[in-house]
Amino acid sequence: MAGWLRTVPGLAASTAVTTLAAAAATALFTGAVQLWPASPESKVSVSVETDPMRLDAEGDLIQLVPAARFDHSRPQNGCAGFWSWARSRGGVDEEQTTMQLTVTNSGSNTVLITGMRAQVTSRQPVSHVVEAQCRTQGEAKVYAVHIDLDKPQPYGLYDKDGKSLPPDFTVASGDLETFLVTARIGHGAAHWKLAVDLVEDGHKRSIVVDDDGKPFTTVTRPAHPTVWELDPHGGGWLRPAGEDVPAGQASGSS
């Protein structure tokens, strides 16, 4: 991340306008689900993208879908349509939630990001679900912040020189910074929102990010779940090697 922990003194107004226009284009291209200002007087805004196929770090796509809503229909466009297909059937994230977070500073002064944390709104046991998968691979292209949702106070940490440290990033005037935030869970299910703590013009502020108006949901993988894997080449739903197809269940439909 080229602009990480840097400032740009003397940034001209024309450069700031150009940078912010680029930020808007990036948000449009990546499909950021929403934009959050810190407050009416703040010049800092935050956008997030949660569709794994649009992130700078792609990996296997896995969703836990309520068993009663898993209908064996095929997502349009294979893995590219997997995310919206699963979410429309009540799908939730298995073991981790990953989002691409972009912080934009349109003010005249440098902003300091002092922390990221999960605000857990509720916890619950895991209900009866089906594990739906679409296997892809990729690697991270931006710096990562990790949150442990099992902790009573889930604060974000990032790795620097072999140490796990709280965020201490700066966002220069007219600039933006992007982070890959991953929240993991090992017990039960958690509903939560992401709070980004800032110091702007000498004032402490927090921007609270949610999943398009509702909390994010991260669920522990159940023991011995029913697993269906989507054939990315259009072959429908398949049982992975060693998994038996439940009686009376078809492997896919159009």
Side-chain angles (χ1 to χ4, degrees):
M1 187 166 46
W4 183 54
L5 289 174
R6 76 178 191 277
T7 61
V8 186
L11 186 66
S14 59
T15 303
V17 171
T18 302
T19 302
L20 294 173
T26 300
L28 179 63
F29 175 76
T30 59
V33 296
Q34 200 168 347
L35 185 69
W36 292 265
S39 63
E41 66 274 14
S42 175
K43 300 300 183 181
V44 177
S45 59
V46 169
S47 62
V48 299
E49 173 59 75
T50 55
D51 184 340
M53 292 299 287
R54 292 177 172 177
L55 301 185
D56 280 343
E58 298 176 3
D60 293 336
L61 308 181
I62 302 176
Q63 289 281 283
L64 296 178
V65 180
R69 299 182 64 180
F70 184 78
D71 57 7
H72 292 82
S73 61
R74 289 198 297 266
Q76 293 184 352
N77 302 320
C79 286
F82 175 85
W83 184 251
S84 59
W85 175 92
R87 287 308 174 101
S88 69
R89 288 157 177 79
V92 295
D93 299 325
E94 180 188 85
E95 297 193 339
Q96 69 179 47
T97 295
T98 301
M99 70 188 73
Q100 188 161 298
L101 175 78
T102 301
V103 181
T104 303
N105 176 16
S106 60
S108 58
N109 297 318
T110 295
V111 169
L112 175 64
I113 300 175
T114 60
M116 298 181 193
R117 51 197 166 86
Q119 297 181 337
V120 178
T121 59
S122 63
R123 297 184 186 273
Q124 64 189 53
V126 179
S127 58
H128 185 42
V129 292
V130 169
E131 182 182 271
Q133 308 173 349
C134 196
R135 297 291 181 181
T136 62
Q137 293 295 330
E139 60 180 283
K141 301 177 185 176
V142 296
Y143 279 86
V145 174
H146 301 279
I147 299 175
D148 184 352
L149 292 173
D150 290 322
K151 296 194 173 191
Q153 295 181 324
Y155 284 93
L157 299 170
Y158 76 102
D159 294 329
K160 181 181 179 182
D161 299 329
K163 299 179 180 179
S164 293
L165 303 172
D168 57 353
F169 309 102
T170 57
V171 187
S173 171
D175 209 349
L176 61 86
E177 297 295 355
T178 300
F179 312 96
L180 196 68
V181 180
T182 301
R184 292 184 171 88
I185 195 168
H187 304 282
H191 303 287
W192 58 281
K193 299 179 181 182
L194 178 69
V196 181
D197 299 322
L198 312 165
V199 176
E200 179 185 7
D201 296 328
H203 299 285
K204 294 181 179 180
R205 309 184 190 278
S206 295
I207 306 178
V208 178
V209 177
D210 57 30
D211 190 6
D212 199 17
K214 60 184 183 296
F216 299 102
T217 300
T218 313
V219 179
T220 306
R221 187 179 193 267
H224 312 296
T226 300
V227 180
W228 288 95
E229 184 173 332
L230 180 67
D231 181 353
H233 305 294
W237 292 98
L238 308 171
R239 296 285 281 167
E243 296 276 353
D244 296 326
V245 178
Q249 297 252 355
S251 61
S253 61
S254 46

